[in-house]
Amino acid sequence: MSQAAPEKRSADRTRGVILAAARERFAADGYERATIRAIAADAAIDPAMVMRYFGNKEKLFAAAAEFDLRLPDLSRLPREEVGPALTNHFLDRWEDDESLKALLRASVTNEAAADRMRQLFADQLGPVIMTLADPATAGTRAGLVASQALGFALCRYVLALPPVAALSREEAIAWLGPTITRYLTGSLAD
């Protein structure tokens, strides 16, 4: 039997332990305060191993920031329900995932994190919007929806801007839903 299979399993397991520790540390401390040394301690390995597998903190963060937005199928909803449904979904994601909030905080000051956030929304939100809108405007629509989702999340969950943070879920959906519906289904004349 070849030694490659056990070695591969061990490498995969080590990589997984490092990523799990990194996700927890980035969520707890944010990008700037999380250190390779702390992540290695959490994973119970030598910091050199973290560097061996990921190269540097930015690459580790990019690898740890693998998120599935779990976007719903909006194509079967009535047109006026698309924005509220997507708003409700984003509220669920932001409220249930500290790592996603950590990525948002880091993306404000770190180019690797900002790139990861851009990629996340382009890769996951773009295709959903392509099912709802004219492909010629889908990119713009996706960018506008992302501006609402990310701007709201920044103000509510990172900056804790009082008027936005104080909104109930129902109020947030009532305010954002129609705007997102317009971005997804409206025309420039609307």
Side-chain angles (χ1 to χ4, degrees), residues 115-139:
D115 187 50
R116 182 67 194 112
M117 186 66 86
R118 284 190 291 270
Q119 183 182 3
L120 177 70
F121 272 78
D123 292 350
Q124 295 182 39
L125 185 60
V128 169
I129 292 178
M130 290 289 278
T131 68
L132 301 170
D134 175 5
T137 62

Side-chain angles (χ1 to χ4, degrees), residues 106-175:
S107 67
V108 174
T109 59
N110 180 275
E111 187 55 35
D115 187 50
R116 182 67 194 112
M117 186 66 86
R118 284 190 291 270
Q119 183 182 3
L120 177 70
F121 272 78
D123 292 350
Q124 295 182 39
L125 185 60
V128 169
I129 292 178
M130 290 289 278
T131 68
L132 301 170
D134 175 5
T137 62
T140 299
R141 292 173 189 274
L144 291 169
V145 169
S147 75
Q148 291 299 300
L150 294 171
F152 182 82
L154 180 69
C155 290
R156 185 177 180 100
Y157 303 113
V158 176
L159 301 175
L161 188 65
V164 176
L167 289 173
S168 70
R169 175 179 281 264
E170 293 75 23
E171 290 170 326
I173 292 169
W175 280 102

Side-chain angles (χ1 to χ4, degrees), residues 32-33 35 49 54 57 64 71-73 82 86 98 102-103 108 110 112 120 135 146 149 172 174 177 184-185 188-189:
E32 297 302 326
R33 291 185 319 188
T35 65
M49 291 298 288
F54 296 98
K57 183 174 158 181
L71 294 168
D73 179 6
V82 170
L86 193 55
E98 288 299 319
L103 176 60
V108 174
N110 180 275
L120 177 70
L184 292 172
T185 63
L188 288 175

Side-chain angles (χ1 to χ4, degrees), residues 24-123:
E24 287 184 27
R25 181 59 62 177
F26 286 129
D29 295 349
Y31 177 84
E32 297 302 326
R33 291 185 319 188
T35 65
I36 294 291
R37 188 173 304 284
I39 292 165
D42 293 346
I45 63 168
D46 187 282
M49 291 298 288
V50 176
M51 300 305 283
R52 175 179 170 212
Y53 281 94
F54 296 98
N56 60 37
K57 183 174 158 181
E58 285 186 358
K59 290 178 184 174
L60 173 60
F61 185 80
E66 291 297 325
F67 298 101
D68 182 354
L69 294 176
R70 299 189 299 263
L71 294 168
D73 179 6
L74 302 171
S75 64
R76 296 184 184 164
L77 290 178
R79 189 177 162 128
E80 66 278 0
E81 292 178 22
V82 170
L86 193 55
T87 301
N88 186 57
H89 178 77
F90 278 126
L91 287 170
D92 285 342
R93 293 299 293 131
W94 290 113
E95 291 169 4
D96 292 343
D97 193 335
E98 288 299 319
S99 297
L100 198 53
K101 290 180 206 170
L103 176 60
L104 179 62
R105 281 191 296 273
S107 67
V108 174
T109 59
N110 180 275
E111 187 55 35
D115 187 50
R116 182 67 194 112
M117 186 66 86
R118 284 190 291 270
Q119 183 182 3
L120 177 70
F121 272 78
D123 292 350

